Amino acid sequence: MKHHVLLLLALLAPAAIAPAKETAAKLPAASERFGSLAKAEEPSFRRHVVPLMSRLGCSGRECHGAFSGQGGFQLSLFGYDFEKDHKAITQDDNGGEAEVRVNAKEPLESLILTKGAMLTKHKGKERFKKDSWEYNLLAKWIQGGAKLDVEQTGDFDRLEVLPKEIVFNKPGEVVQLKVLAHWKDGTIEDVTQITRFRSNDDSVSAVSDTGKVENKGKGDTHVVAFYDNGVLPIPTMLAMSEFTAGKYPKVPTRTKVDELVVAKLRKAGIVPSEVCTDAEFLRRVHLDLTATPPTPHEVRAFLADKSPDKRAKKIDELMKTPGYAGWWTTLLCDFTGNNRQQLNTGGDLQLNDRFSRQWYDWIYKRVAENTPYDQLVAGIVLAKGRTRPDQNYEDYVKEMVGYFRKEDRTDFTERADMPYFWQRNNVRKAEEKSLAFAHTFLGVRIECAQCHKHPFDQWTQTDFKQFQAFFEPVSYGSTKKPGDDLSYGELTRAIQKEAGYEGKNDKNREKYRRILAERLREGKLVPIQEVYVRPPEKPRKLSEKEIEQKKKRDPNFNGRVITPKILGGEEVMLNEFPDPRKPLMEWLRGKDNPYFAASFVNRTWAAYFGRGIVEPADDMNLANPPSNRELMDYLAQGFVKSGFNIQWLHREILNSDTYQRSWKTTPSNALDEKNFSHALIRRLPAEVVFDSIAMATASTANFTKIAADLENRAIGPNASISGKARGGDNYTLGIFGKPARNMNCDCERTADPTLLQTIYTRNDPSFLQLVDSAKRDGSGWIDELRRAASPESSKNAAAKLEKYRKSRANLTEQRARREKDRLLAEKDRQKLEAQMREMDELIVRAQAELAGVPQAGKLDFDRAIEEVFFRTVSRPPTKDEFAKARQDLDAASDKVTGVRELLWAMLNTREFMVNH
């Protein structure tokens, strides 16, 4: 046990594996070794034949690497399955043609030579010349017996590419790469000519099949080398300006983040923008950190504050607000897939909404308390239905019912774990669980490896199946364990009998559901399914019949027992772990884990900058390296050293000049979108748009109230549940890009502008209702102005307050009288209490209205113009803007209508809809 835990903690990504001792001389390039057929040595199938066929395109997706192959000849995509490919090339399994693909009697008549050299008809056209080194390499392998030598070659260690970085001096310059393969037996070989290459941006650097890199324009990108299981990116760049090295201007670097960003900018010849204004910073950090615009009062106070550390103080202040916890809970619910429609409640208990709410609340509590990220994740990854090893099914149900009963309800957020991640309809199968786990906690997309080798990473189909094996025992449903006197099935049948319910289509189904709901409210036992882990089974040898049956269901089944293996790590003997997720969690927490900390750092960075250090933010593959490796390493390692302190990460990023830079560009950084030399103008997320509109149109009293009242906000728990009036509506949030949380892809959340968004803010009835009166109860700012402009406003407000107070007193007296006479039924009590709560809200609003009413005729419309700008774009108007607004007010039918038109116009500006 101890051995395996230590092994897990020592796991390294392939890029971090220590190089093998170089005990052998470097073997020369393929063209030298196979230039002459007569003198050529015998090549290796794994080291030479497979990589060559991959580089020639034979095993590419357009040719024989396609799902169904070409012309009856199928190879594994990019040549990852050596046994399968050897069999396809050498054995007769296609009506005789394979017999001559490799012709042992007449090697030079082999089809892989004659077709490849176009000596016979070939749809794939000519791949190499007759008597070329490529031709000789394949011919020599066939002459040597076409051996499969995977075991003899040993394990691949790593790739080395020289130069390690290319900094071009001028456009059109060409640099030749040299690729060395290091094998664990100490062999080092020049494999440049049998390596595949790809450029991540051909407009900056193009790369030939032979590894010649040519600069095509200013900027930076990566060229990627692929050989065997090695994937290695090489950074290339041509400076954007003459400002490099000694010519680079002095740029302050207040933080380590700034130091690392500016170091890359200096090399790339990019001069960063100045730091943004206080008004820009305040709006930006409010929207990014809390999804909440600052109030007009906050803007005025911040702009007047002369303290040198006011920005750092503001960041700390905002991390204590409900908006901070609500927004980052919303994002974590995105990543973890909190979707009420996908939540499997089992049977006829309809608890989807409540499960989803509990999911949100559980994460919210931990974000608000700054629980370390690894602990938060452990509470999800290791979660099971039963919270104690000795808990029987009846006690489990009692605990679960306690979270839903009406009286004396238990607080779900106090649970150590949250099992709902594992009980979604879209993660029923082990392969679906492995995909969800990799996306959520590693920021890795491994879908491709389900069927073939990942085109841009090291993962093969075998790697995927070995990783998937961790999740095979994790289930959601019903199980009976030793010590269970009651089971899910027994409890279900007992209650069904009580309801007279006999099956799905029985007329008594609704009665059965009502009984379940009533029992739940009363805290009685109801059948609830659970997340559980099946105990490990001893592997057994399958019979020939069982193997045939499995092959029918899965053509790729090879009959071998699959040993679980961590991505990029070692195999794990699961019989030593009662829960296979435990070694996975230990691996996540390991300081050398290449994904866990980095993926959260990258997603957090992407939330603040509009793009990740790795982009897309959830596609951390070897061929998609960070735009600034040193920056990523610093933040990921610092995050781990901080104890996975989420607020440390926020402060580290937000306090940097890099985050606080202006969106206004310099001549050298106008085209830069990935080196963080200036702020990118970003479309606001859907929830932020919705809440910002609600706050901009709310009355003075309600502006602050909305910010703190998450129950009625789009970043609150109710938006995740129903998407109805409380917390936004599905239509509005949908058109502005709120994710449905159905897929393992951060791309579900979109920020692209659309015509529907424009139509909504121009003339959608629900939007216009907000502008005119915020809500139908007349609690909007424009209503407030209309009342204030009326000579009778003060008198009306006082009369309204008095009316509400009398109604409240009458309700209190009525309840007391009926309780005394014992005439108050529970149903009537609830109705009275609801009326009393409603009246209390009306009294509070009336008090706020009365307090906000100025003396008749004293309404300051100049201040109202300023207020519109503070409410929408969080800054005062410029002189020109103010003058134009005043002209519009003077031309309006009345000045309040003029303010209303100004508010509508500002809500339709690009400045309001973006964060800059």
Side-chain angles (χ1 to χ4, degrees):
M1 176 77 170
K2 183 184 289 185
H3 166 75
H4 285 286
V5 172
L6 291 174
L7 175 65
L8 290 166
L9 292 175
L11 292 177
L12 298 172
I17 295 175
K21 292 182 179 179
E22 300 184 5
T23 56
K26 292 186 180 73
L27 297 175
S31 59
E32 294 181 47
R33 298 172 68 187
F34 306 108
S36 165
L37 182 58
K39 297 179 182 179
E41 60 191 273
E42 184 179 335
S44 159
F45 179 71
R46 177 177 180 176
R47 296 186 181 185
H48 304 121
V49 174
V50 171
L52 175 62
M53 295 185 79
S54 175
R55 202 268 288 169
L56 294 172
C58 304
S59 58
R61 68 183 77 211
E62 294 84 12
C63 199
H64 300 291
F67 184 74
S68 56
Q70 292 286 349
F73 178 29
Q74 182 188 18
L75 295 170
S76 62
L77 188 63
F78 307 124
Y80 73 90
D81 192 330
F82 304 115
E83 291 183 13
K84 176 183 175 181
D85 289 351
H86 187 266
K87 181 179 178 181
I89 294 169
T90 62
Q91 294 185 19
D92 180 5
D93 58 358
N94 277 290
E97 186 178 329
E99 188 176 333
V100 289
R101 282 189 201 129
V102 170
N103 191 328
K105 294 179 181 178
E106 298 291 339
L108 300 186
E109 297 301 316
S110 300
L111 284 179
I112 63 169
L113 290 175
T114 59
K115 285 200 169 189
M118 204 60 183
L119 302 177
T120 57
K121 188 177 179 182
H122 183 213
K123 285 185 179 179
K125 299 184 179 178
E126 185 180 80
R127 301 282 101 183
F128 47 78
K129 299 287 186 184
K130 185 178 184 299
D131 298 326
S132 65
W133 67 264
E134 295 98 331
Y135 179 94
N136 294 340
L137 187 156
L138 295 173
K140 196 70 177 183
W141 174 67
I142 298 169
Q143 289 175 347
K147 298 169 189 171
L148 175 65
D149 60 351
V150 175
E151 290 186 10
Q152 290 78 8
T153 56
D155 292 333
F156 174 78
D157 184 12
R158 64 187 174 91
L159 273 189
E160 180 183 3
V161 180
L162 302 172
K164 294 182 178 180
E165 179 184 63
I166 300 174
V167 179
F168 292 107
N169 294 312
K170 58 184 179 181
E173 190 176 351
V174 176
V175 174
Q176 174 67 54
L177 294 176
K178 183 175 184 179
V179 184
L180 301 176
H182 294 251
W183 296 84
K184 288 193 175 179
D185 65 3
T187 303
I188 305 169
E189 181 177 358
D190 184 340
V191 293
T192 307
Q193 293 169 320
I194 49 177
T195 294
R196 283 190 301 118
F197 297 98
R198 188 195 82 166
S199 172
N200 285 351
D201 187 346
D202 287 317
S203 68
V204 175
S205 293
V207 61
S208 71
D209 290 343
T210 58
K212 287 184 178 179
V213 183
E214 181 182 0
N215 175 259
K216 294 291 185 178
K218 294 179 179 180
D220 63 293
T221 187
H222 287 83
V223 167
V224 189
F226 302 86
Y227 172 83
D228 197 270
N229 207 30
V231 181
L232 190 63
I234 304 95
T236 76
M237 69 173 66
L238 176 64
M240 296 293 293
S241 72
E242 72 278 13
F243 299 115
T244 59
K247 295 182 180 179
Y248 197 76
K250 188 174 182 180
V251 177
T253 52
R254 294 188 304 109
T255 68
K256 184 67 176 178
V257 167
D258 296 327
E259 181 184 320
L260 296 172
V261 169
V262 171
K264 171 76 183 290
L265 297 178
R266 182 180 292 109
K267 191 183 295 184
I270 299 173
V271 179
S273 299
E274 297 294 327
V275 170
C276 65
T277 66
D278 282 345
E280 287 172 333
F281 167 79
L282 185 66
R283 184 172 190 265
R284 183 188 301 175
V285 76
H286 259 268
L287 295 175
D288 280 342
L289 191 55
T290 71
T292 309
T295 66
H297 172 75
E298 285 177 306
V299 178
R300 290 186 176 99
F302 191 78
L303 296 182
D305 187 354
K306 302 303 179 185
S307 305
D309 59 346
K310 67 179 182 179
R311 296 191 179 191
K313 286 180 178 177
K314 177 57 70 174
I315 292 166
D316 288 341
E317 174 191 317
L318 292 177
M319 283 194 285
K320 298 173 184 174
T321 63
Y324 162 74
W327 177 231
W328 287 91
T329 295
T330 296
L331 292 178
L332 284 167
C333 284
D334 287 352
F335 305 147
T336 54
N338 179 4
N339 178 341
R340 62 171 295 275
Q341 293 177 327
Q342 292 291 353
L343 275 169
N344 187 344
T345 60
D348 286 85
L349 265 178
Q350 298 169 313
L351 297 173
N352 308 56
D353 282 357
R354 287 190 257 187
F355 281 165
S356 182
R357 171 67 190 251
Q358 289 173 344
W359 187 331
Y360 179 98
D361 289 344
W362 189 89
I363 293 179
Y364 180 93
K365 174 181 171 66
R366 282 146 186 82
V367 174
E369 294 175 351
N370 198 32
T371 298
Y373 179 65
D374 65 321
Q375 291 180 29
L376 187 157
V377 170
I380 298 173
V381 170
L382 302 176
K384 290 186 283 192
R386 306 190 193 192
T387 52
R388 302 190 316 273
D390 61 342
Q391 190 177 40
N392 61 33
Y393 179 72
E394 183 174 347
D395 288 340
Y396 160 69
V397 172
K398 286 178 181 176
E399 179 183 333
M400 289 299 294
V401 166
Y403 300 130
F404 301 105
R405 64 186 172 223
K406 184 180 177 185
E407 302 292 338
D408 193 27
R409 185 174 295 172
T410 309
D411 186 356
F412 180 83
T413 67
E414 295 297 330
R415 253 185 82 121
D417 61 15
M418 193 282 297
Y420 302 144
F421 177 85
W422 301 108
Q423 67 185 61
R424 293 172 291 158
N425 289 321
N426 54 356
V427 293
R428 289 181 176 181
K429 299 175 183 177
E431 64 188 57
E432 293 169 339
K433 291 181 175 72
S434 59
L435 291 172
F437 181 94
H439 169 262
T440 301
F441 305 116
L442 305 177
V444 172
R445 302 177 187 176
I446 57 173
E447 289 89 339
C448 294
Q450 284 179 274
C451 304
H452 52 75
K453 186 182 185 301
H454 195 294
F456 307 125
D457 215 314
Q458 61 185 323
W459 320 127
T460 66
Q461 190 178 36
T462 300
D463 291 322
F464 182 87
K465 288 184 179 296
Q466 288 184 298
F467 185 60
Q468 174 184 316
F470 282 100
F471 306 98
E472 294 285 357
V474 181
S475 298
Y476 175 69
S478 59
T479 182
K480 191 165 185 177
K481 298 181 180 180
D484 286 353
D485 296 325
L486 178 69
S487 72
Y488 172 86
E490 291 164 348
L491 183 55
T492 300
R493 287 189 291 273
I495 302 175
Q496 286 178 344
K497 186 176 180 181
E498 177 188 341
Y501 172 58
E502 297 181 357
K504 261 188 177 179
N505 298 318
D506 191 285
K507 63 181 180 180
N508 288 322
R509 186 174 192 184
E510 285 307 314
K511 179 181 177 182
Y512 172 57
R513 286 181 168 177
R514 286 197 300 272
I515 290 174
L516 286 177
E518 186 61 32
R519 289 177 67 91
L520 193 65
R521 281 193 296 270
E522 294 173 358
K524 296 178 181 178
L525 296 182
V526 293
I528 298 179
Q529 295 185 348
E530 59 181 304
V531 174
Y532 64 96
V533 178
R534 297 191 302 274
E537 300 176 1
K538 290 185 179 179
R540 65 180 181 84
K541 190 173 181 180
L542 298 176
S543 66
E544 290 297 322
K545 186 177 181 180
E546 288 174 315
I547 290 175
E548 286 303 314
Q549 289 174 340
K550 284 185 176 288
K551 281 187 174 180
K552 285 181 182 178
R553 293 194 296 267
D554 179 7
N556 294 313
F557 179 75
N558 57 21
R560 295 179 296 181
V561 175
I562 295 176
T563 304
K565 181 180 178 182
I566 286 168
L567 288 176
E570 300 293 336
E571 294 181 345
V572 178
M573 306 312 294
L574 287 191
N575 57 3
E576 298 190 13
F577 297 93
D579 187 339
R581 299 169 301 175
K582 188 172 181 182
L584 274 181
M585 193 62 230
E586 292 298 324
W587 174 61
L588 292 185
R589 283 174 156 149
K591 63 182 177 65
D592 295 315
N593 184 292
Y595 305 110
F596 180 58
S599 65
F600 186 71
V601 163
N602 196 49
R603 279 173 164 144
T604 303
W605 187 277
Y608 288 136
F609 289 87
R611 62 169 292 130
I613 304 172
V614 171
E615 182 64 19
D618 61 340
D619 192 13
M620 299 182 68
N621 66 69
L622 293 177
N624 185 34
S627 60
N628 190 322
R629 169 69 68 182
E630 292 76 14
L631 175 65
M632 174 66 88
D633 290 347
Y634 166 71
L635 288 172
Q637 291 166 12
F639 186 43
V640 175
K641 287 177 184 175
S642 74
F644 295 96
N645 186 324
I646 296 173
Q647 291 191 4
W648 173 89
L649 180 60
H650 290 311
R651 289 189 182 95
E652 199 69 13
I653 296 172
L654 298 177
N655 279 309
S656 68
D657 283 349
T658 302
Y659 173 75
Q660 297 178 23
R661 296 218 175 275
S662 172
W663 58 273
K664 298 173 183 175
T665 59
T666 66
S668 64
N669 76 2
L671 299 178
D672 175 42
E673 291 191 349
K674 59 185 174 184
N675 290 303
F676 318 111
S677 60
H678 63 91
L680 296 179
I681 296 175
R682 297 169 275 134
R683 192 83 173 179
L684 294 180
E687 299 89 338
V688 183
V689 171
F690 191 92
D691 285 345
S692 295
I693 292 172
M695 293 178 70
T697 57
S699 67
T700 304
N702 280 347
F703 195 114
T704 305
K705 183 181 176 183
I706 291 172
D709 181 17
L710 293 186
E711 292 292 324
N712 291 297
R713 288 193 59 185
I715 61 167
N718 292 309
S720 296
I721 296 170
S722 61
K724 294 181 182 176
R726 297 182 75 197
D729 66 82
N730 279 331
Y731 171 73
T732 305
L733 294 173
I735 65 172
F736 282 99
K738 178 180 169 65
R741 301 173 182 166
N742 283 320
M743 301 163 54
N744 294 316
C745 185
D746 290 4
C747 60
E748 269 200 300
R749 179 178 288 281
T750 62
D752 298 327
T754 66
L755 180 60
L756 279 177
Q757 294 169 7
T758 303
I759 293 172
Y760 175 81
T761 56
R762 292 289 194 275
N763 58 12
D764 186 90
S766 62
F767 172 78
L768 297 178
Q769 177 70 41
L770 285 170
V771 175
D772 289 327
S773 59
K775 293 181 181 179
R776 288 188 175 88
D777 59 9
S779 60
W781 183 55
I782 298 300
D783 281 315
E784 183 181 301
L785 292 181
R786 290 195 190 283
R787 289 191 297 271
S790 167
E792 299 294 317
S793 58
S794 180
K795 187 187 298 183
N796 291 341
K800 192 186 297 184
L801 178 59
E802 184 61 26
K803 175 186 172 182
Y804 293 154
R805 283 173 172 165
K806 284 183 179 179
S807 297
R808 179 64 168 82
N810 288 338
L811 289 170
T812 304
E813 183 183 344
Q814 184 181 350
R815 184 181 68 173
R817 185 176 64 254
R818 295 178 68 179
E819 282 179 340
K820 184 179 179 182
D821 296 337
R822 297 183 179 179
L823 297 174
L824 190 61
E826 179 59 28
K827 187 176 181 181
D828 293 333
R829 179 197 299 277
Q830 291 177 11
K831 186 177 179 181
L832 271 173
E833 289 178 350
Q835 290 173 337
M836 291 165 71
R837 285 194 298 271
E838 183 180 357
M839 204 54 61
D840 287 339
E841 275 197 36
L842 290 172
I843 289 170
V844 170
R845 287 178 185 168
Q847 288 172 330
E849 182 183 329
L850 185 61
V853 174
Q855 294 178 8
K858 297 294 184 179
L859 188 61
D860 187 344
F861 283 102
D862 284 354
R863 187 173 178 84
I865 291 172
E866 287 186 348
E867 185 82 0
V868 169
F869 279 81
F870 282 127
R871 282 170 170 266
T872 55
V873 292
S874 306
R875 63 170 177 82
T878 64
K879 287 183 179 180
D880 285 346
E881 289 169 336
F882 184 84
K884 289 177 182 177
R886 182 182 274 176
Q887 285 178 355
D888 290 340
L889 258 65
D890 291 338
S893 57
D894 64 80
K895 290 196 174 183
V896 173
T897 299
V899 174
R900 185 263 183 209
E901 295 303 317
L902 177 61
L903 177 62
W904 177 88
M906 290 302 296
L907 290 172
N908 276 280
T909 60
R910 181 168 181 257
E911 185 177 357
F912 173 75
M913 284 293 176
V914 301
N915 195 348
H916 53 80

